[in-house]
Amino acid sequence: MENKETMFHKSRVAFMIINSEIVFLENSGMSHIEWYTSLNYPIENFDNIVRGYYKEGKIIFYKGDFIYDEDVINQANEFANKIKEYVKDNDAKVYAGIIKGEIGEMWPPAIEIENL
C-alpha cells in the first residue's frame, strides 16, 4: 500500500525550471529531489532550482526548503502561463512558498502572486 506522501506526489503535476526550461512530471510518486537526481543533475544545485506543482486550481512555486524569494517570484511570473496551458486551467491561482505541515497533505501556500 502506498503511503500518504507517495499518494500526494501522484495526485499533483510537478514541475521544475532547469536552465530556463520547464519540465513536468505527472502520475509519479517521486519527490522533486528524486526526480531531479533521476535526471542526473548535480544534487548540490538542487536548492537553487525553482520547482513546484499544480493541484486543485493552485500553482505553487518554491525552492530550497519550500521558500520563496525574488527569483521564485520572477520565475512564477515568467512560467505561470505555460503551466496554466499545460494543465488546461487558465483560472489557476499562482502562489509562492509553502507553510510546511503534515507529510502527505497539501500544505498552504505562503503568498498569492496577483495578476497572473
Side-chain angles (χ1 to χ4, degrees):
M1 183 164 169
E2 293 178 325
N3 66 32
K4 286 174 67 175
E5 184 178 12
T6 301
M7 289 171 35
F8 173 77
H9 288 152
K10 282 187 171 182
S11 73
R12 67 184 182 169
V13 177
F15 61 85
M16 291 188 291
I17 301 165
I18 302 172
N19 300 323
S20 300
E21 296 288 326
I22 190 163
V23 290
F24 294 96
L25 180 67
E26 294 184 70
N27 304 312
S28 174
M30 279 196 287
S31 68
H32 279 98
I33 198 163
E34 291 168 331
W35 177 28
Y36 183 79
T37 56
S38 78
L39 298 173
N40 297 314
Y41 289 109
I43 193 67
E44 55 271 10
N45 292 342
F46 181 72
D47 280 345
N48 296 315
I49 297 296
V50 175
R51 63 194 195 276
Y53 64 88
Y54 166 84
K55 182 178 167 102
E56 298 172 2
K58 295 179 179 173
I59 302 169
I60 306 175
F61 290 81
Y62 50 87
K63 70 179 182 183
D65 194 20
F66 305 100
I67 63 165
Y68 70 94
D69 60 11
E70 187 176 341
D71 181 42
V72 171
I73 292 170
N74 289 340
Q75 298 290 329
N77 281 305
E78 183 174 345
F79 288 96
N81 286 331
K82 288 181 183 175
I83 297 167
K84 288 179 182 184
E85 198 174 292
Y86 182 86
V87 300
K88 297 175 177 53
D89 184 353
N90 287 329
D91 296 325
K93 300 279 187 204
V94 181
Y95 301 89
I98 291 181
I99 300 164
K100 291 194 280 186
E102 187 175 323
I103 290 177
E105 294 184 359
M106 189 165 171
W107 300 345
I111 64 163
E112 182 173 352
I113 301 174
E114 302 292 331
N115 303 320
L116 290 182

